[in-house]
């Protein structure tokens, strides 16, 4: 204990404080776990962190809306306004709701922003006749939101649909990206396996027959499947996830929006060589935390990142598509340690 700490203990004579002064704060303990497990010297901050206090204010998440190009974009925001920014980009068929548990785990140290795309969550769902539901458009609107918020540099957590949205941001503003966290988000054709065959058939002819066949992907059983398939202990997954997502999918007109986006996903494949070139040129610090049992974006799509990012930190997690839902206890320490070393040091 430092001289200053000894002096304080001597002055206060608070035996309760003395007995608890070395207890680890839960979030800081998460940050230190990988270092301790590896036998590395733990930072002083981790070893001497104060014990949680009942008087300590909890993390507050704000639920906000900003109009970008005439579209109301909903976003969750938390953390110090002047801190380093972490942008969280959600997948299908969910929204920023998927990050509700991750946000408090990061917002003690980072300024966290998690938007909903149009047609998802609490953002506007404009008519298909007047709005193009494309990944290009989603990228433009998220970029516009960040500009409106004055965000010029940020790390990105991309998952599922969040990957093609995020890749568009990275290609447009490579200098703004401080780090990448990739969780079941594709950038290589090796990652599009059997699950994608019916979608590829729709790409081939854009027929009503193939479009109709894809409606199974917005059915309740498929929504639940995305959360439970590949999960060893389903009791760790909150069933409110698929109930929440399905309620939004069932809004009148939303299924056709999803069909439009299934068709537009084909535009992501020609971008893959550009994204891979971005990786090779800029070498953004990258963490892979990938549910290895995922049938939608299988681990076949995770391995190729190593080709272009030789320093990638690579973790296959024993779970499915929405890995964070049942493996937060494994993923949070990895994410916090990575961000601390790569952008906060």
């Amino acid at each position: 204990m430092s001289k200053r700490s000894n002096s304080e203990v001597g002055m206060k004579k608070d035996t309760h404080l003395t007995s608890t002064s070395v207890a680890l704060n839960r979030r800081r303990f998460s940050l230190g776990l990988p270092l301790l497990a590896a036998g590395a010297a733990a930072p002083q901050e981790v070893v001497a962190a104060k014990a949680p206090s009942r008087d300590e204010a909890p993390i507050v998440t704000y639920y906000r809306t900003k109009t970008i190009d005439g579209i109301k974009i909903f976003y969750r925001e938390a953390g110090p306004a002047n801190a380093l920014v972490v942008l969280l980009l959600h997948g299908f068929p969910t929204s920023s709701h998927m990050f509700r548990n991750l946000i408090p785990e990061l917002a003690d140290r980072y300024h966290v922003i998690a938007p909903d795309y149009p047609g998802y969550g609490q953002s506007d769902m404009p008519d298909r006749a007047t709005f193009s539901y494309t990944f290009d458009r989603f990228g433009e609107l998220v970029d516009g939101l960040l500009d409106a918020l004055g965000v010029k540099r940020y790390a990105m957590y991309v998952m599922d649909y969040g990957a093609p949205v995020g890749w568009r941001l990275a290609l447009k503003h490579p200098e703004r990206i401080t780090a990448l966290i990739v969780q079941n988000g594709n950038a290589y054709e090796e990652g599009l396996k059997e699950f994608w065959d019916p979608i590829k058939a729709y790409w081939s002819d854009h027929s009503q027959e193939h479009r109709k066949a894809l409606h199974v992907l917005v059915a309740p059983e498929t929504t639940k499947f995305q959360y439970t398939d590949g999960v060893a202990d389903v009791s760790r997954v909150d069933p409110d996830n698929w109930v929440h997502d399905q309620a939004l999918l069932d809004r009148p007109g939303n299924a056709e929006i999803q069909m439009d986006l299934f068709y537009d996903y084909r535009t992501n494949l020609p971008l893959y060589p550009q994204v891979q070139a971005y990786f090779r040129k800029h070498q953004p610090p990258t963490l892979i935390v990938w549910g290895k049992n995922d049938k939608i974006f299988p681990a076949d799509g995770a391995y190729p990142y190593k080709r272009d990012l030789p320093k990638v930190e690579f973790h296959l997690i024993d779970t499915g598509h929405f890995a964070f839902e049942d493996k937060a206890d494994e993923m949070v320490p990895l994410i916090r340690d990575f961000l601390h070393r790569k952008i906060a040091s």
Side-chain angles (χ1 to χ4, degrees), residues 157 181-184 287-291 313-317 323 331 334-335:
Y157 184 124
I181 300 167
V182 183
Q183 187 245 300
N184 300 75
L287 172 70
I288 300 282
V289 276
W290 196 292
E313 300 184 22
F314 190 90
H315 302 272
L316 292 182
I317 312 297
M331 292 169 65
L334 294 172
I335 293 167

Side-chain angles (χ1 to χ4, degrees), residues 243-289:
V243 173
H244 173 273
D245 289 354
Q246 195 62 45
L248 294 173
L249 287 173
D250 289 343
R251 290 176 292 173
N254 193 269
E256 295 307 317
I257 287 171
Q258 304 308 328
M259 299 305 114
D260 290 349
L261 284 160
F262 291 147
Y263 186 65
D264 190 67
Y265 200 93
R266 77 196 191 285
T267 66
N268 297 325
L269 277 67
L271 286 183
Y272 288 167
Q274 298 176 51
V275 174
Q276 294 156 20
Y278 157 76
F279 293 157
R280 290 191 296 271
K281 178 179 179 180
H282 295 276
Q283 293 295 308
T286 301
L287 172 70
I288 300 282
V289 276

Side-chain angles (χ1 to χ4, degrees), residues 65-74 118-119 122-127 130-131 133 137 140-142 144-145 148:
T65 301
K66 193 167 285 289
T67 300
I68 309 297
D69 292 348
I71 306 295
K72 290 182 179 178
I73 301 296
F74 172 88
Q122 302 299 318
S123 287
D124 275 353
M125 190 179 78
D127 193 297
T130 58
F131 180 84
Y133 283 91
R137 195 73 183 103
E140 291 167 0
L141 289 168
V142 172
L145 174 66

Side-chain angles (χ1 to χ4, degrees), residues 187-265:
Y188 298 85
E189 289 202 41
E190 292 97 317
L192 301 179
K193 307 297 278 189
E194 292 82 0
F195 180 90
W196 288 84
D197 288 347
I199 302 174
K200 290 177 180 179
Y202 182 39
W203 295 347
S204 70
D205 62 8
H206 201 199
S207 70
Q208 285 300 311
E209 179 185 1
H210 284 134
R211 183 181 179 98
K212 185 177 180 180
L214 297 183
H215 276 258
V216 68
L217 298 180
V218 296
E221 59 270 21
T222 306
T223 304
K224 181 177 179 179
F225 160 87
Q226 293 200 59
Y227 283 99
T228 60
D229 187 69
V231 175
D233 184 356
V234 176
S235 70
R236 293 175 65 115
V237 181
D238 185 349
D240 286 348
N241 280 300
W242 54 86
V243 173
H244 173 273
D245 289 354
Q246 195 62 45
L248 294 173
L249 287 173
D250 289 343
R251 290 176 292 173
N254 193 269
E256 295 307 317
I257 287 171
Q258 304 308 328
M259 299 305 114
D260 290 349
L261 284 160
F262 291 147
Y263 186 65
D264 190 67
Y265 200 93

